[in-house]
Short mmCIF file of all heavy atoms in Angstrom, two decimals:
data_model
loop_
_atom_site.label_atom_id
_atom_site.label_comp_id
_atom_site.label_asym_id
_atom_site.label_seq_id
_atom_site.Cartn_x
_atom_site.Cartn_y
_atom_site.Cartn_z
N MET A 401 9.57 8.81 16.28
CA MET A 401 8.34 8.36 15.59
C MET A 401 7.19 8.21 16.66
O MET A 401 7.44 7.68 17.68
CB MET A 401 8.55 7.06 14.87
CG MET A 401 7.45 6.56 14.13
SD MET A 401 7.77 5.16 13.13
CE MET A 401 8.92 5.77 11.96
N LYS A 402 6.01 8.64 16.23
CA LYS A 402 4.94 8.57 17.20
C LYS A 402 4.36 7.19 17.18
O LYS A 402 4.47 6.47 16.26
CB LYS A 402 3.86 9.49 16.75
CG LYS A 402 4.30 11.05 16.78
CD LYS A 402 3.16 11.95 16.17
CE LYS A 402 3.70 13.26 15.96
NZ LYS A 402 2.79 14.16 15.29
N ILE A 403 3.78 6.83 18.33
CA ILE A 403 3.17 5.44 18.47
C ILE A 403 2.14 5.13 17.41
O ILE A 403 2.20 4.04 16.78
CB ILE A 403 2.67 5.25 19.88
CG1 ILE A 403 3.77 5.43 20.94
CG2 ILE A 403 1.96 3.93 20.10
CD1 ILE A 403 4.93 4.45 20.82
N PRO A 404 1.18 5.99 17.07
CA PRO A 404 0.20 5.65 16.03
C PRO A 404 0.87 5.36 14.72
O PRO A 404 0.40 4.48 14.00
CB PRO A 404 -0.71 6.91 15.93
CG PRO A 404 -0.57 7.58 17.28
CD PRO A 404 0.83 7.28 17.74
N GLU A 405 1.94 6.06 14.38
CA GLU A 405 2.64 5.80 13.17
C GLU A 405 3.25 4.39 13.15
O GLU A 405 3.34 3.68 12.09
CB GLU A 405 3.80 6.84 12.94
CG GLU A 405 3.21 8.21 12.57
CD GLU A 405 4.35 9.24 12.49
OE1 GLU A 405 5.54 8.84 12.53
OE2 GLU A 405 4.03 10.36 12.37
N LEU A 406 3.68 3.81 14.27
CA LEU A 406 4.23 2.53 14.30
C LEU A 406 3.10 1.48 13.99
O LEU A 406 3.42 0.47 13.35
CB LEU A 406 4.76 2.25 15.76
CG LEU A 406 6.10 2.92 16.12
CD1 LEU A 406 6.50 2.63 17.56
CD2 LEU A 406 7.18 2.51 15.16
N GLY A 407 1.90 1.73 14.43
CA GLY A 407 0.81 0.83 14.09
C GLY A 407 0.60 0.76 12.64
O GLY A 407 0.39 -0.32 12.08
N LEU A 408 0.66 1.94 11.94
CA LEU A 408 0.47 1.91 10.52
C LEU A 408 1.59 1.25 9.82
O LEU A 408 1.42 0.45 8.93
CB LEU A 408 0.39 3.38 10.04
CG LEU A 408 0.33 3.59 8.54
CD1 LEU A 408 -0.92 2.95 7.93
CD2 LEU A 408 0.35 5.05 8.18
N MET A 409 2.82 1.52 10.28
CA MET A 409 4.03 0.91 9.69
C MET A 409 3.95 -0.61 9.73
O MET A 409 4.41 -1.32 8.87
CB MET A 409 5.32 1.43 10.29
CG MET A 409 5.53 2.94 10.12
SD MET A 409 5.70 3.40 8.43
CE MET A 409 7.51 3.29 8.35
N SER A 410 3.43 -1.17 10.87
CA SER A 410 3.38 -2.62 10.98
C SER A 410 2.31 -3.26 10.07
O SER A 410 2.46 -4.43 9.71
CB SER A 410 3.06 -3.01 12.43
OG SER A 410 1.80 -2.66 12.76
N LYS A 411 1.37 -2.47 9.54
CA LYS A 411 0.31 -2.91 8.64
C LYS A 411 0.79 -2.89 7.20
O LYS A 411 0.19 -3.61 6.36
CB LYS A 411 -0.98 -2.26 8.80
CG LYS A 411 -1.60 -2.39 10.17
CD LYS A 411 -2.88 -1.58 10.26
CE LYS A 411 -3.45 -1.85 11.64
NZ LYS A 411 -4.66 -0.97 11.85
N LEU A 412 1.76 -2.05 6.93
CA LEU A 412 2.32 -1.94 5.55
C LEU A 412 3.28 -3.04 5.28
O LEU A 412 3.93 -3.51 6.19
CB LEU A 412 2.99 -0.51 5.37
CG LEU A 412 2.12 0.68 5.48
CD1 LEU A 412 2.93 1.96 5.41
CD2 LEU A 412 0.99 0.73 4.47
N GLY A 413 3.48 -3.34 4.00
CA GLY A 413 4.49 -4.34 3.66
C GLY A 413 5.84 -3.72 3.64
O GLY A 413 5.99 -2.46 3.84
N PRO A 414 6.91 -4.53 3.51
CA PRO A 414 8.26 -3.97 3.54
C PRO A 414 8.53 -2.98 2.44
O PRO A 414 9.29 -2.03 2.74
CB PRO A 414 9.14 -5.25 3.50
CG PRO A 414 8.27 -6.31 3.05
CD PRO A 414 6.87 -5.91 3.36
N ARG A 415 8.08 -3.19 1.27
CA ARG A 415 8.36 -2.25 0.22
C ARG A 415 7.69 -0.88 0.48
O ARG A 415 8.24 0.22 0.25
CB ARG A 415 7.88 -2.82 -1.16
CG ARG A 415 8.68 -4.01 -1.56
CD ARG A 415 8.17 -4.55 -2.86
NE ARG A 415 8.97 -5.71 -3.21
CZ ARG A 415 8.82 -6.31 -4.37
NH1 ARG A 415 7.95 -5.93 -5.25
NH2 ARG A 415 9.62 -7.36 -4.56
N ALA A 416 6.42 -0.86 0.99
CA ALA A 416 5.79 0.38 1.28
C ALA A 416 6.50 1.06 2.46
O ALA A 416 6.59 2.30 2.43
CB ALA A 416 4.33 0.06 1.59
N ASN A 417 7.00 0.27 3.40
CA ASN A 417 7.76 0.91 4.47
C ASN A 417 9.03 1.49 4.02
O ASN A 417 9.41 2.64 4.42
CB ASN A 417 8.09 -0.10 5.62
CG ASN A 417 7.03 -0.34 6.53
OD1 ASN A 417 6.26 0.53 6.86
ND2 ASN A 417 6.83 -1.61 6.95
N TYR A 418 9.69 0.88 3.11
CA TYR A 418 10.93 1.45 2.49
C TYR A 418 10.61 2.77 1.78
O TYR A 418 11.32 3.78 1.97
CB TYR A 418 11.50 0.47 1.52
CG TYR A 418 12.59 1.04 0.65
CD1 TYR A 418 13.82 1.36 1.14
CD2 TYR A 418 12.36 1.25 -0.80
CE1 TYR A 418 14.89 1.87 0.32
CE2 TYR A 418 13.32 1.84 -1.58
CZ TYR A 418 14.52 2.13 -1.03
OH TYR A 418 15.56 2.62 -1.83
N GLY A 419 9.58 2.81 1.00
CA GLY A 419 9.24 3.95 0.30
C GLY A 419 8.77 5.12 1.20
O GLY A 419 9.19 6.29 1.07
N GLN A 420 8.13 4.81 2.28
CA GLN A 420 7.69 5.84 3.25
C GLN A 420 8.83 6.35 4.02
O GLN A 420 8.89 7.54 4.24
CB GLN A 420 6.64 5.19 4.21
CG GLN A 420 5.95 6.20 5.09
CD GLN A 420 5.11 7.20 4.39
OE1 GLN A 420 4.49 6.87 3.34
NE2 GLN A 420 5.14 8.44 4.84
N ALA A 421 9.79 5.50 4.43
CA ALA A 421 10.93 5.94 5.12
C ALA A 421 11.86 6.78 4.28
O ALA A 421 12.33 7.87 4.79
CB ALA A 421 11.77 4.71 5.67
N LEU A 422 11.95 6.45 2.98
CA LEU A 422 12.77 7.28 2.15
C LEU A 422 12.09 8.67 1.96
O LEU A 422 12.81 9.65 1.89
CB LEU A 422 13.00 6.61 0.81
CG LEU A 422 14.07 7.16 -0.09
CD1 LEU A 422 15.44 7.21 0.59
CD2 LEU A 422 14.15 6.32 -1.44
N LEU A 423 10.82 8.63 1.82
CA LEU A 423 10.09 9.90 1.68
C LEU A 423 10.29 10.83 2.88
O LEU A 423 10.54 12.02 2.76
CB LEU A 423 8.57 9.65 1.43
CG LEU A 423 7.74 10.88 1.22
CD1 LEU A 423 8.09 11.58 -0.05
CD2 LEU A 423 6.27 10.41 1.13
N GLU A 424 10.23 10.21 4.05
CA GLU A 424 10.38 11.03 5.26
C GLU A 424 11.89 11.57 5.34
O GLU A 424 12.10 12.67 5.76
CB GLU A 424 10.14 10.13 6.53
CG GLU A 424 8.65 9.92 6.67
CD GLU A 424 8.30 9.05 7.94
OE1 GLU A 424 9.16 9.09 8.91
OE2 GLU A 424 7.26 8.40 7.98
N LEU A 425 12.83 10.72 4.97
CA LEU A 425 14.17 11.18 4.91
C LEU A 425 14.38 12.33 3.88
O LEU A 425 15.05 13.33 4.20
CB LEU A 425 15.16 10.14 4.52
CG LEU A 425 15.43 9.13 5.64
CD1 LEU A 425 16.21 7.88 5.01
CD2 LEU A 425 16.24 9.75 6.72
N ALA A 426 13.76 12.22 2.77
CA ALA A 426 13.83 13.34 1.75
C ALA A 426 13.18 14.54 2.24
O ALA A 426 13.60 15.71 1.82
CB ALA A 426 13.23 12.83 0.47
N ASN A 427 12.16 14.50 2.98
CA ASN A 427 11.49 15.69 3.56
C ASN A 427 12.43 16.38 4.54
O ASN A 427 12.29 17.58 4.69
CB ASN A 427 10.16 15.32 4.28
CG ASN A 427 9.05 15.12 3.34
OD1 ASN A 427 8.92 15.84 2.27
ND2 ASN A 427 8.19 14.16 3.58
N THR A 428 13.26 15.64 5.20
CA THR A 428 14.21 16.21 6.16
C THR A 428 15.52 16.65 5.52
O THR A 428 16.02 17.74 5.91
CB THR A 428 14.45 15.20 7.28
OG1 THR A 428 13.30 14.71 7.84
CG2 THR A 428 15.36 15.76 8.40
N TYR A 429 16.04 15.86 4.66
CA TYR A 429 17.28 16.16 4.08
C TYR A 429 17.25 16.43 2.56
O TYR A 429 16.69 15.55 1.82
CB TYR A 429 18.30 15.02 4.28
CG TYR A 429 18.45 14.64 5.80
CD1 TYR A 429 17.85 13.59 6.29
CD2 TYR A 429 19.25 15.44 6.61
CE1 TYR A 429 17.98 13.29 7.61
CE2 TYR A 429 19.46 15.17 7.91
CZ TYR A 429 18.79 14.06 8.42
OH TYR A 429 18.89 13.76 9.76
N GLU A 430 17.66 17.57 2.17
CA GLU A 430 17.51 17.99 0.70
C GLU A 430 18.42 17.17 -0.25
O GLU A 430 18.16 17.17 -1.47
CB GLU A 430 17.82 19.47 0.54
CG GLU A 430 16.84 20.31 1.17
CD GLU A 430 17.15 21.86 0.95
OE1 GLU A 430 18.04 22.13 0.15
OE2 GLU A 430 16.39 22.63 1.51
N ASP A 431 19.45 16.50 0.26
CA ASP A 431 20.44 15.78 -0.58
C ASP A 431 20.01 14.31 -0.75
O ASP A 431 20.72 13.61 -1.40
CB ASP A 431 21.77 15.91 -0.08
CG ASP A 431 22.00 15.40 1.40
OD1 ASP A 431 20.95 15.16 2.02
OD2 ASP A 431 23.11 15.21 1.80
N VAL A 432 18.84 13.92 -0.27
CA VAL A 432 18.37 12.54 -0.49
C VAL A 432 17.64 12.44 -1.84
O VAL A 432 16.86 13.28 -2.19
CB VAL A 432 17.41 12.11 0.62
CG1 VAL A 432 16.74 10.71 0.30
CG2 VAL A 432 18.14 12.03 1.95
N LEU A 433 18.01 11.46 -2.65
CA LEU A 433 17.35 11.11 -3.86
C LEU A 433 17.13 9.63 -4.03
O LEU A 433 17.79 8.88 -3.23
CB LEU A 433 18.07 11.78 -5.12
CG LEU A 433 19.48 11.40 -5.32
CD1 LEU A 433 19.66 10.14 -6.16
CD2 LEU A 433 20.23 12.53 -6.02
N ALA A 434 16.32 9.26 -4.92
CA ALA A 434 16.06 7.83 -5.23
C ALA A 434 16.45 7.48 -6.66
O ALA A 434 16.08 8.29 -7.52
CB ALA A 434 14.60 7.54 -4.93
N ALA A 435 17.07 6.40 -6.85
CA ALA A 435 17.40 5.92 -8.14
C ALA A 435 16.86 4.45 -8.31
O ALA A 435 16.95 3.67 -7.34
CB ALA A 435 18.89 5.91 -8.40
N THR A 436 16.25 4.10 -9.44
CA THR A 436 15.72 2.85 -9.62
C THR A 436 15.88 2.35 -11.09
O THR A 436 16.17 3.20 -11.94
CB THR A 436 14.14 2.85 -9.33
OG1 THR A 436 13.64 1.57 -9.36
CG2 THR A 436 13.40 3.80 -10.17
N ALA A 437 15.80 1.09 -11.27
CA ALA A 437 15.79 0.49 -12.57
C ALA A 437 14.49 0.01 -13.03
O ALA A 437 14.11 -1.16 -13.08
CB ALA A 437 16.80 -0.69 -12.55
N ASP A 438 13.57 1.03 -13.11
CA ASP A 438 12.21 0.81 -13.53
C ASP A 438 11.36 0.00 -12.61
O ASP A 438 10.47 -0.69 -12.98
CB ASP A 438 12.17 0.16 -14.97
CG ASP A 438 10.91 0.55 -15.76
OD1 ASP A 438 10.45 1.61 -15.46
OD2 ASP A 438 10.51 -0.22 -16.62
N LEU A 439 11.70 0.10 -11.36
CA LEU A 439 10.91 -0.56 -10.25
C LEU A 439 10.34 0.47 -9.25
O LEU A 439 10.19 0.18 -8.05
CB LEU A 439 11.81 -1.60 -9.53
CG LEU A 439 12.23 -2.73 -10.35
CD1 LEU A 439 13.38 -3.44 -9.69
CD2 LEU A 439 11.12 -3.63 -10.77
N GLY A 440 10.09 1.67 -9.67
CA GLY A 440 9.60 2.72 -8.78
C GLY A 440 8.35 2.38 -8.02
O GLY A 440 8.35 2.54 -6.80
N VAL A 441 7.36 1.98 -8.79
CA VAL A 441 6.03 1.68 -8.10
C VAL A 441 6.10 0.42 -7.25
O VAL A 441 5.68 0.38 -6.12
CB VAL A 441 4.91 1.67 -9.13
CG1 VAL A 441 3.64 1.25 -8.58
CG2 VAL A 441 4.75 3.00 -9.89
N SER A 442 6.74 -0.61 -7.84
CA SER A 442 6.70 -1.96 -7.13
C SER A 442 7.65 -1.96 -5.91
O SER A 442 7.51 -2.75 -5.03
CB SER A 442 7.11 -3.03 -8.11
OG SER A 442 8.45 -2.89 -8.53
N SER A 443 8.57 -0.96 -5.85
CA SER A 443 9.45 -0.93 -4.68
C SER A 443 8.99 0.17 -3.71
O SER A 443 9.68 0.42 -2.80
CB SER A 443 10.87 -0.57 -5.11
OG SER A 443 10.96 0.73 -5.78
N GLY A 444 7.78 0.61 -3.87
CA GLY A 444 7.23 1.57 -2.89
C GLY A 444 7.60 3.02 -3.05
O GLY A 444 7.42 3.83 -2.11
N LEU A 445 8.20 3.32 -4.17
CA LEU A 445 8.66 4.70 -4.38
C LEU A 445 7.69 5.63 -5.13
O LEU A 445 8.00 6.68 -5.47
CB LEU A 445 10.02 4.64 -5.12
CG LEU A 445 11.12 4.01 -4.40
CD1 LEU A 445 12.38 3.92 -5.31
CD2 LEU A 445 11.45 4.81 -3.11
N ASP A 446 6.38 5.21 -5.26
CA ASP A 446 5.46 6.00 -6.08
C ASP A 446 5.19 7.42 -5.35
O ASP A 446 5.12 8.37 -6.06
CB ASP A 446 4.17 5.29 -6.33
CG ASP A 446 3.59 4.54 -5.02
OD1 ASP A 446 4.36 4.42 -4.06
OD2 ASP A 446 2.41 4.18 -5.04
N ARG A 447 5.10 7.41 -4.02
CA ARG A 447 4.91 8.70 -3.31
C ARG A 447 6.14 9.63 -3.54
O ARG A 447 6.00 10.78 -3.69
CB ARG A 447 4.60 8.49 -1.87
CG ARG A 447 3.30 7.85 -1.58
CD ARG A 447 2.99 7.77 -0.11
NE ARG A 447 2.02 6.79 0.19
CZ ARG A 447 2.18 5.48 0.51
NH1 ARG A 447 3.40 5.07 0.70
NH2 ARG A 447 1.26 4.65 0.75
N PHE A 448 7.29 8.98 -3.43
CA PHE A 448 8.53 9.77 -3.63
C PHE A 448 8.60 10.41 -4.97
O PHE A 448 8.89 11.54 -5.18
CB PHE A 448 9.75 8.84 -3.40
CG PHE A 448 11.02 9.60 -3.28
CD1 PHE A 448 11.63 9.85 -2.09
CD2 PHE A 448 11.71 9.95 -4.48
CE1 PHE A 448 12.78 10.55 -2.05
CE2 PHE A 448 12.92 10.66 -4.41
CZ PHE A 448 13.45 10.96 -3.21
N MET A 449 8.20 9.62 -6.04
CA MET A 449 8.22 10.05 -7.44
C MET A 449 7.34 11.25 -7.63
O MET A 449 7.63 12.23 -8.27
CB MET A 449 7.69 8.93 -8.39
CG MET A 449 8.70 7.87 -8.66
SD MET A 449 8.09 6.81 -10.00
CE MET A 449 6.78 5.91 -9.22
N LYS A 450 6.15 11.20 -6.96
CA LYS A 450 5.22 12.35 -7.11
C LYS A 450 5.57 13.52 -6.25
O LYS A 450 5.35 14.66 -6.75
CB LYS A 450 3.77 11.85 -6.60
CG LYS A 450 3.20 10.80 -7.57
CD LYS A 450 1.89 10.24 -7.08
CE LYS A 450 1.44 9.09 -7.98
NZ LYS A 450 0.25 8.40 -7.37
N THR A 451 6.21 13.31 -5.18
CA THR A 451 6.54 14.44 -4.27
C THR A 451 7.82 15.09 -4.73
O THR A 451 7.92 16.34 -4.61
CB THR A 451 6.74 13.91 -2.82
OG1 THR A 451 5.55 13.18 -2.40
CG2 THR A 451 6.98 15.13 -1.88
N PHE A 452 8.80 14.35 -5.16
CA PHE A 452 10.13 14.84 -5.49
C PHE A 452 10.49 14.33 -6.92
O PHE A 452 11.48 13.61 -7.10
CB PHE A 452 11.19 14.49 -4.51
CG PHE A 452 11.00 14.90 -3.12
CD1 PHE A 452 10.63 14.01 -2.15
CD2 PHE A 452 11.11 16.24 -2.80
CE1 PHE A 452 10.37 14.43 -0.85
CE2 PHE A 452 10.91 16.66 -1.50
CZ PHE A 452 10.49 15.82 -0.50
N PRO A 453 9.82 14.80 -8.00
CA PRO A 453 10.17 14.23 -9.30
C PRO A 453 11.56 14.67 -9.73
O PRO A 453 12.16 13.95 -10.52
CB PRO A 453 9.12 14.91 -10.19
CG PRO A 453 8.60 16.09 -9.42
CD PRO A 453 8.75 15.71 -8.00
N ASP A 454 12.11 15.79 -9.21
CA ASP A 454 13.46 16.20 -9.59
C ASP A 454 14.48 15.51 -8.82
O ASP A 454 15.72 15.68 -9.20
CB ASP A 454 13.53 17.73 -9.38
CG ASP A 454 13.23 18.20 -7.94
OD1 ASP A 454 12.34 17.52 -7.33
OD2 ASP A 454 13.88 19.10 -7.46
N ARG A 455 14.15 14.73 -7.81
CA ARG A 455 15.14 13.96 -7.09
C ARG A 455 14.92 12.42 -7.26
O ARG A 455 15.34 11.63 -6.45
CB ARG A 455 14.98 14.34 -5.60
CG ARG A 455 15.40 15.74 -5.34
CD ARG A 455 15.04 16.35 -4.04
NE ARG A 455 15.33 15.61 -2.85
CZ ARG A 455 14.91 15.98 -1.63
NH1 ARG A 455 14.22 17.10 -1.47
NH2 ARG A 455 15.20 15.26 -0.61
N PHE A 456 14.25 12.05 -8.36
CA PHE A 456 13.98 10.72 -8.60
C PHE A 456 14.59 10.35 -10.01
O PHE A 456 14.33 11.03 -10.97
CB PHE A 456 12.48 10.41 -8.67
CG PHE A 456 12.09 8.96 -8.90
CD1 PHE A 456 12.19 8.03 -7.87
CD2 PHE A 456 11.69 8.60 -10.18
CE1 PHE A 456 11.88 6.78 -8.15
CE2 PHE A 456 11.45 7.21 -10.39
CZ PHE A 456 11.48 6.31 -9.36
N ILE A 457 15.38 9.31 -10.01
CA ILE A 457 16.12 8.91 -11.31
C ILE A 457 15.63 7.48 -11.63
O ILE A 457 15.79 6.61 -10.84
CB ILE A 457 17.61 8.92 -11.12
CG1 ILE A 457 18.02 10.36 -10.76
CG2 ILE A 457 18.30 8.51 -12.37
CD1 ILE A 457 19.48 10.47 -10.32
N ASN A 458 15.09 7.31 -12.88
CA ASN A 458 14.74 6.00 -13.40
C ASN A 458 15.58 5.71 -14.59
O ASN A 458 15.47 6.43 -15.67
CB ASN A 458 13.27 5.98 -13.69
CG ASN A 458 12.81 4.64 -14.12
OD1 ASN A 458 13.53 3.76 -14.30
ND2 ASN A 458 11.38 4.50 -14.32
N VAL A 459 16.47 4.74 -14.51
CA VAL A 459 17.34 4.43 -15.58
C VAL A 459 16.77 3.38 -16.55
O VAL A 459 17.45 3.01 -17.58
CB VAL A 459 18.73 3.98 -15.11
CG1 VAL A 459 19.46 5.05 -14.31
CG2 VAL A 459 18.63 2.64 -14.34
N GLY A 460 15.55 3.00 -16.32
CA GLY A 460 14.97 1.98 -17.12
C GLY A 460 15.39 0.60 -16.74
O GLY A 460 16.02 0.34 -15.65
N ILE A 461 15.11 -0.42 -17.46
CA ILE A 461 15.48 -1.80 -17.18
C ILE A 461 16.91 -2.00 -17.48
O ILE A 461 17.28 -2.55 -18.48
CB ILE A 461 14.55 -2.77 -17.90
CG1 ILE A 461 13.10 -2.47 -17.70
CG2 ILE A 461 14.92 -4.23 -17.49
CD1 ILE A 461 12.16 -3.30 -18.51
N ALA A 462 17.79 -1.50 -16.59
CA ALA A 462 19.19 -1.53 -16.84
C ALA A 462 19.91 -1.49 -15.47
O ALA A 462 20.47 -0.47 -15.06
CB ALA A 462 19.63 -0.33 -17.69
N GLU A 463 19.84 -2.64 -14.74
CA GLU A 463 20.42 -2.67 -13.43
C GLU A 463 21.89 -2.30 -13.39
O GLU A 463 22.35 -1.56 -12.50
CB GLU A 463 20.18 -4.00 -12.74
CG GLU A 463 18.73 -4.26 -12.37
CD GLU A 463 17.85 -4.74 -13.58
OE1 GLU A 463 18.39 -4.82 -14.71
OE2 GLU A 463 16.60 -4.96 -13.29
N GLN A 464 22.68 -2.74 -14.35
CA GLN A 464 24.10 -2.51 -14.35
C GLN A 464 24.29 -0.97 -14.52
O GLN A 464 25.25 -0.44 -13.96
CB GLN A 464 24.81 -3.25 -15.47
CG GLN A 464 24.80 -4.77 -15.30
CD GLN A 464 23.56 -5.44 -15.81
OE1 GLN A 464 22.64 -4.83 -16.29
NE2 GLN A 464 23.54 -6.82 -15.69
N ASN A 465 23.51 -0.37 -15.37
CA ASN A 465 23.62 1.08 -15.66
C ASN A 465 23.29 1.86 -14.31
O ASN A 465 23.87 2.85 -13.96
CB ASN A 465 22.71 1.52 -16.73
CG ASN A 465 22.88 2.90 -17.14
OD1 ASN A 465 24.03 3.45 -17.07
ND2 ASN A 465 21.86 3.57 -17.51
N LEU A 466 22.34 1.29 -13.54
CA LEU A 466 21.95 1.95 -12.25
C LEU A 466 23.14 1.98 -11.32
O LEU A 466 23.33 2.94 -10.65
CB LEU A 466 20.79 1.20 -11.62
CG LEU A 466 20.33 1.67 -10.29
CD1 LEU A 466 19.86 3.12 -10.35
CD2 LEU A 466 19.25 0.81 -9.71
N ILE A 467 23.93 0.94 -11.34
CA ILE A 467 25.18 0.93 -10.54
C ILE A 467 26.09 2.05 -10.94
O ILE A 467 26.69 2.80 -10.12
CB ILE A 467 25.85 -0.45 -10.54
CG1 ILE A 467 24.89 -1.52 -10.06
CG2 ILE A 467 27.17 -0.41 -9.77
CD1 ILE A 467 24.44 -1.32 -8.62
N GLY A 468 26.28 2.13 -12.26
CA GLY A 468 27.19 3.20 -12.73
C GLY A 468 26.73 4.58 -12.47
O GLY A 468 27.47 5.45 -12.06
N VAL A 469 25.37 4.86 -12.65
CA VAL A 469 24.77 6.15 -12.35
C VAL A 469 24.87 6.45 -10.89
O VAL A 469 25.32 7.58 -10.52
CB VAL A 469 23.37 6.17 -12.79
CG1 VAL A 469 22.60 7.42 -12.34
CG2 VAL A 469 23.23 6.15 -14.36
N SER A 470 24.59 5.51 -10.11
CA SER A 470 24.67 5.68 -8.63
C SER A 470 26.11 6.07 -8.14
O SER A 470 26.30 6.84 -7.32
CB SER A 470 24.18 4.46 -7.89
OG SER A 470 22.80 4.28 -8.15
N SER A 471 27.08 5.29 -8.68
CA SER A 471 28.50 5.60 -8.35
C SER A 471 28.90 6.91 -8.78
O SER A 471 29.70 7.67 -8.09
CB SER A 471 29.50 4.58 -8.93
OG SER A 471 28.99 3.50 -9.41
N GLY A 472 28.41 7.38 -9.94
CA GLY A 472 28.68 8.74 -10.35
C GLY A 472 28.14 9.81 -9.52
O GLY A 472 28.71 10.94 -9.41
N LEU A 473 26.97 9.57 -8.97
CA LEU A 473 26.36 10.54 -8.13
C LEU A 473 27.16 10.73 -6.80
O LEU A 473 27.14 11.75 -6.25
CB LEU A 473 24.96 10.21 -7.85
CG LEU A 473 23.98 10.22 -9.06
CD1 LEU A 473 22.59 9.60 -8.64
CD2 LEU A 473 23.81 11.68 -9.45
#
């Protein structure tokens, strides 16, 4: 990671950092996907949703179902 990027990362909140890090991983590895229980935007995954809509799974407000879907994947 370049030094200027570290400065930006320190200004972002933890959720935005999580979303940005997952997006960078997805750009590098084709098998990375994101699954959420209707918390895509609030968990910092909005960029991921727009960039990789086919690799983003939203199960709705169903956290228990998210666990089942994730285990199946």
Side-chain angles (χ1 to χ4, degrees):
M401 183 174 292
K402 299 174 188 173
I403 298 300
E405 290 176 5
L406 287 176
L408 173 63
M409 297 295 268
S410 67
K411 292 178 184 177
L412 298 174
R415 291 180 182 186
N417 278 323
Y418 167 72
Q420 189 63 34
L422 193 60
L423 182 62
E424 288 180 25
L425 284 170
N427 281 322
T428 305
Y429 303 103
E430 292 182 8
D431 58 347
V432 171
L433 57 88
T436 183
D438 211 25
L439 296 168
V441 175
S442 65
S443 61
L445 295 175
D446 48 344
R447 290 183 200 100
F448 190 99
M449 285 188 289
K450 292 174 186 170
T451 308
F452 300 108
D454 56 327
R455 291 162 54 184
F456 183 79
I457 300 168
N458 184 354
V459 298
I461 305 173
E463 288 81 1
Q464 293 87 355
N465 188 34
L466 177 62
I467 299 301
V469 169
S470 299
S471 345
L473 292 170

